[in-house]
Amino acid sequence: GRSGLIRHYLGNREDLVRALVERLFAQGLEEMPTDWSAISREEIVEHILIELFDPVTEEQEHFQILLKALWMTHERDNETRKLLHQLHAEWLHLLQIGLTQAYPDASKEKCESVAYALLCMADGHFSMESLALRETSEVSIREAASQLIETLA
């Protein structure tokens, strides 16, 4: 039937979601600074906090919906698991570079730990959205992340 034709030309649901997430993620990466050295510490920290914790635009909201769909399938789908690993690894790398640039006196290991913790906080914060706790905690999660980053000083 018709769904067979659609599947033939577009692939299955997981393939579509993966392709959309990859495209949106690539767009997001393009918005990230490529040369952190040209940016002050305050600007780097602000940029990280905005990217990870600020209220989302409509486009980011669509991306998060797609990302949630991926999270629901990653346990049973190896391609999805690989994609999520790649996306998180790239974000982690960007955060590590930014924090290392912003806090040159902090050890590489400490910057890596803080970057990982920030990514975990962002993912956890994102997950809480469906519990309707997120709106009341925007400021507190951002403040907690800011305090964590300050441990690098």
Side-chain angles (χ1 to χ4, degrees), residues 16-71:
L16 283 172
V17 170
R18 276 195 301 269
L20 282 169
V21 167
E22 282 182 272
R23 194 180 106 230
L24 291 171
F25 183 76
Q27 287 173 350
L29 280 179
E30 288 172 10
E31 294 171 12
M32 294 292 282
T34 53
D35 183 10
W36 292 97
S37 65
I39 304 172
S40 72
R41 172 185 289 183
E42 293 76 20
E43 289 171 315
I44 291 172
V45 170
E46 186 62 20
H47 195 76
I48 287 171
L49 293 173
I50 287 170
E51 288 299 320
L52 292 179
F53 301 109
D54 273 9
V56 296
T57 63
E58 188 175 333
E59 183 178 303
Q60 289 168 322
E61 192 173 324
H62 294 155
F63 177 73
Q64 289 185 345
I65 290 167
L66 292 169
L67 202 53
K68 275 185 185 176
L70 280 185
W71 272 111

Side-chain angles (χ1 to χ4, degrees), residues 4-5 9 27 42 68 70-71 83 120 123 126 136 143:
L5 266 176
Y9 287 104
Q27 287 173 350
E42 293 76 20
K68 275 185 185 176
L70 280 185
W71 272 111
L83 176 61
C120 289
D123 275 351
F126 165 68
T136 60
E143 181 59 29

Side-chain angles (χ1 to χ4, degrees), residues 73-91:
T73 63
H74 88 280
E75 299 267 335
R76 65 179 188 272
D77 181 56
N78 197 39
E79 288 303 310
T80 299
R81 191 170 32 260
K82 280 193 240 176
L83 176 61
L84 285 173
H85 173 84
Q86 175 194 344
L87 299 180
H88 281 78
E90 289 184 44
W91 261 107

